[in-house]
Amino acid sequence: MSSAERDLVDISLEINGRAAELSVDPGVTLLDALRERLGVTGPKKGCDRGQCGACTVHVGGRPVLSCLTLAATVRQPVTTVDGLSTEDSLHPVQQAFIDQDALQCGFCTSGQIMSAVAAIEQGVEDVREFMSGNLCRCAAYPNIVAAITQARRADATL
């Protein structure tokens, strides 16, 4: 057994309702475990420094920046943008983003949607302030706020 193999940590994750068992370096982020080890590509690697929000996922129902979260510390279920919809329909927030044209290049969209779902579920009054951690290089902010307003009217929940 090499020294690298001895340093691995065995972890169990529940991602979008599915169990996953991995052996990872203790320093592997949740984002890298999702994208590189499990093929879950909804969360995007934008800045890799917790400044853009493109990697936002829910852990135990709370939004977290997966690029700053160590995979080995995650004990609660993880939901990504891929886990919001069902086979038959989009989540109301996903649909509202389409209806309101709240995306342009789409790179930030998954993180924006995950934060928007959290804002709605938490009954956040100041949506603009809550969403300020999610950057959109295309400046689709007015449409993002309109999408959140529409989804609130639809009583969107996870």
Side-chain angles (χ1 to χ4, degrees), residues 95-104 140-144 146-147 150:
Q95 187 62 55
F97 267 64
I98 293 168
D99 294 347
Q100 297 298 325
D101 195 25
L103 52 116
Q104 288 181 32
Y141 299 116
N143 299 37
I144 291 168
Q150 174 184 323

Side-chain angles (χ1 to χ4, degrees), residues 80-137:
T80 72
V81 70
D82 311 287
L84 292 178
S85 62
T86 65
E87 286 186 28
D88 298 333
S89 63
L90 293 174
H91 185 280
V93 173
Q94 291 171 316
Q95 187 62 55
F97 267 64
I98 293 168
D99 294 347
Q100 297 298 325
D101 195 25
L103 52 116
Q104 288 181 32
C105 81
F107 193 79
C108 71
T109 304
S110 62
Q112 297 277 1
I113 288 172
M114 295 308 291
S115 291
V117 168
I120 292 167
E121 288 183 344
Q122 294 174 23
V124 171
E125 302 253 343
D126 190 350
V127 170
R128 291 176 195 271
E129 175 68 25
F130 188 86
M131 298 294 292
S132 67
N134 291 82
L135 302 181
C136 175
R137 294 177 182 143

